[in-house]
Amino acid sequence: ANEVAAVDPPAVAVCAVEEGSGRTTTIGIASGINGDGRFTAFAAGVSAGSTTFSTGASGSAAIPIAEIAPLGTGAGLAELPGQDVAAASVLVGAQTVAVEACLPTPVRQTLLAGGSTVSGERFQVQLMNPYAGEAVVDLIVQSESGLEAAPQLRGILVPQRSSTIVDLAELLPGRQ
């Protein structure tokens, strides 16, 4: 019998980053192994900078984006030392702190539950593409009005090694 060998997915993750306007991002890495990796910030189709890291004996590493590139809102690719390693973006502002898990790749579908554009609330979705070719994304949005049919939700181009912000408050105001 011909058996097909299982292929391990790459040990990488895509992370949202924001640097500037009073906000900073640190990428946190947690691992059960001592290993080396690389983090590359990207924007506008190219690498904005990269750095290597080691999880060391503690099994962790912290990567301040400010030491890599003045990026604004962007994204990064974490090349991790193994499959059982997690990465997260820690975003700090003047009065806020947020932690978001970095997504392992490749991801064909992602579910984002919740959000509102009622009463002028901002609701933005950041689409990140770490690959060397452009990506085309369709957003399927369900609101209290049913399935949203705005043509701007389909065929969204995300250039190579870039990210794109989709402002749902602008496209679908007053939705829950």
Side-chain angles (χ1 to χ4, degrees):
N2 292 335
E3 292 185 31
V4 177
V7 177
D8 287 332
V12 296
V14 179
C15 305
V17 298
E18 187 169 351
E19 200 64 38
S21 300
R23 296 186 182 110
T24 62
T25 302
T26 300
I27 303 299
I29 309 289
S31 173
I33 61 170
N34 180 349
D36 297 326
R38 171 174 290 283
F39 185 83
T40 303
F42 57 86
V46 297
S47 168
S50 68
T51 188
T52 58
F53 64 88
S54 177
T55 55
S58 69
S60 65
I63 305 162
I65 298 302
E67 294 179 9
I68 298 174
L71 199 56
T73 300
L77 180 68
E79 298 172 61
L80 304 169
Q83 292 294 328
D84 297 326
V85 179
S89 295
V90 181
L91 177 74
V92 178
Q95 299 177 3
T96 60
V97 174
V99 177
E100 180 179 352
C102 299
L103 296 174
T105 61
V107 176
R108 293 192 53 85
Q109 288 185 332
T110 299
L111 174 65
L112 176 63
S116 174
T117 61
V118 174
S119 301
E121 289 185 46
R122 289 182 51 184
F123 184 33
Q124 296 178 326
V125 176
Q126 181 180 11
L127 305 173
M128 299 173 284
N129 179 9
Y131 298 109
E134 76 178 10
V136 179
V137 178
D138 292 327
L139 295 179
I140 300 170
V141 178
Q142 179 79 34
S143 72
E144 76 284 357
S145 300
L147 189 61
E148 297 291 345
Q152 300 92 328
L153 298 172
R154 306 287 186 271
I156 301 165
L157 294 178
V158 184
Q160 67 181 11
R161 295 187 184 101
S162 293
S163 68
T164 299
I165 301 291
V166 178
D167 189 344
L168 293 175
E170 185 178 297
L171 293 175
L172 304 168
R175 298 291 202 281
Q176 187 73 23

